[in-house]
Amino acid sequence: MSLYDYTVEDQQGNEAALADYEGRVLLIVNTATECGFTPTYAQLEELYRDLHERGLDILDFPCDQFGHQAPGTNEEIAAFCTSRFGVTFPQFAKIEVNGPNADPLFAYLQQEKGFEGFDEGHELTPVLEDLLSKNDPDFASKPDIKWNFTKFLVDRNGAVIRRFEPTASIPDVVAPAVEELL
């Protein structure tokens, strides 16, 4: 199955085909509005504005699975993102990314690119590792999404090229990887 075979639900509850993004570079992100990484929205919006015309789309999927950090309805989440961070990239319906109710798209993404570790230099890495290891000492060996703002980079042909954990720097790590594909 290809990435373009998946459909997702938009904010209004309508089916949206990922085939509509064929030929574009995609950054697919699970997000949250009340997370320590929430300011990442501003960096994602800047990246989107800088590179959208060259072929980048950022697809935002709110997820409330990590510490109940994405409360509210799809409309409330969208209003927050627009008013606080000026988000203009596509936002979709709130989903689950792990477990038996995981959205099939995110199950596919994890299958394509598993967890490779958090950025060692990031101040929140020890906090995340401690939190995750308390729940599952084997967390690092599993491909599931570990936290909000995990990003998957997809090339113009639909291949999942890279996975960036929330600790990856947008300007220093993510943006250069995106630009290589444009």
Side-chain angles (χ1 to χ4, degrees):
M1 193 160 179
S2 155
L3 179 93
Y4 300 128
D5 294 323
Y6 288 92
T7 58
V8 294
E9 192 175 300
D10 70 15
Q11 277 183 332
Q12 293 74 38
N14 301 313
E15 204 170 89
L18 288 185
D20 293 345
Y21 295 96
E22 194 165 351
R24 308 272 303 163
V25 171
L26 303 177
L27 197 60
I28 302 173
V29 189
N30 68 294
T31 61
T33 54
E34 296 182 8
C35 172
F37 293 102
T38 297
T40 303
Y41 272 120
Q43 295 175 329
L44 290 170
E45 179 60 25
E46 182 178 344
L47 184 67
Y48 180 72
R49 289 182 186 197
D50 289 348
L51 301 177
H52 179 69
E53 291 299 317
R54 291 178 48 201
L56 172 68
D57 276 307
I58 296 175
L59 309 183
D60 174 6
F61 292 87
C63 177
D64 199 32
Q65 279 189 288
F66 304 100
H68 192 52
Q69 295 180 343
T73 65
N74 292 332
E75 295 78 19
E76 290 167 337
I77 290 170
F80 171 86
C81 294
T82 302
S83 66
R84 180 126 183 241
F85 298 105
V87 167
T88 59
F89 49 80
Q91 293 185 294
F92 296 86
K94 190 187 312 186
I95 62 166
E96 290 188 17
V97 297
N98 291 331
N101 297 320
D103 186 274
L105 169 63
F106 275 81
Y108 170 79
L109 292 169
Q110 292 172 51
Q111 176 186 316
E112 294 295 302
K113 291 292 174 193
F115 179 70
E116 294 180 11
F118 295 113
D119 178 86
E120 291 180 18
H122 196 282
E123 63 186 14
L124 291 177
T125 292
V127 175
L128 288 169
E129 289 176 341
D130 184 55
L131 178 71
L132 293 166
S133 66
K134 284 180 182 172
N135 291 330
D136 181 2
D138 231 11
F139 81 92
S141 67
K142 297 175 181 164
D144 61 329
I145 306 285
K146 306 304 179 200
W147 208 253
N148 300 307
F149 291 93
T150 299
K151 297 160 280 304
F152 292 89
L153 180 60
V154 178
D155 72 9
R156 292 180 187 271
N157 298 315
V160 183
I161 301 299
R162 287 191 63 185
R163 172 176 168 163
F164 302 100
E165 300 306 323
T167 53
S169 166
I170 300 285
D172 298 334
V173 177
V174 178
V178 169
E179 290 206 56
E180 283 181 26
L181 298 180
L182 294 174

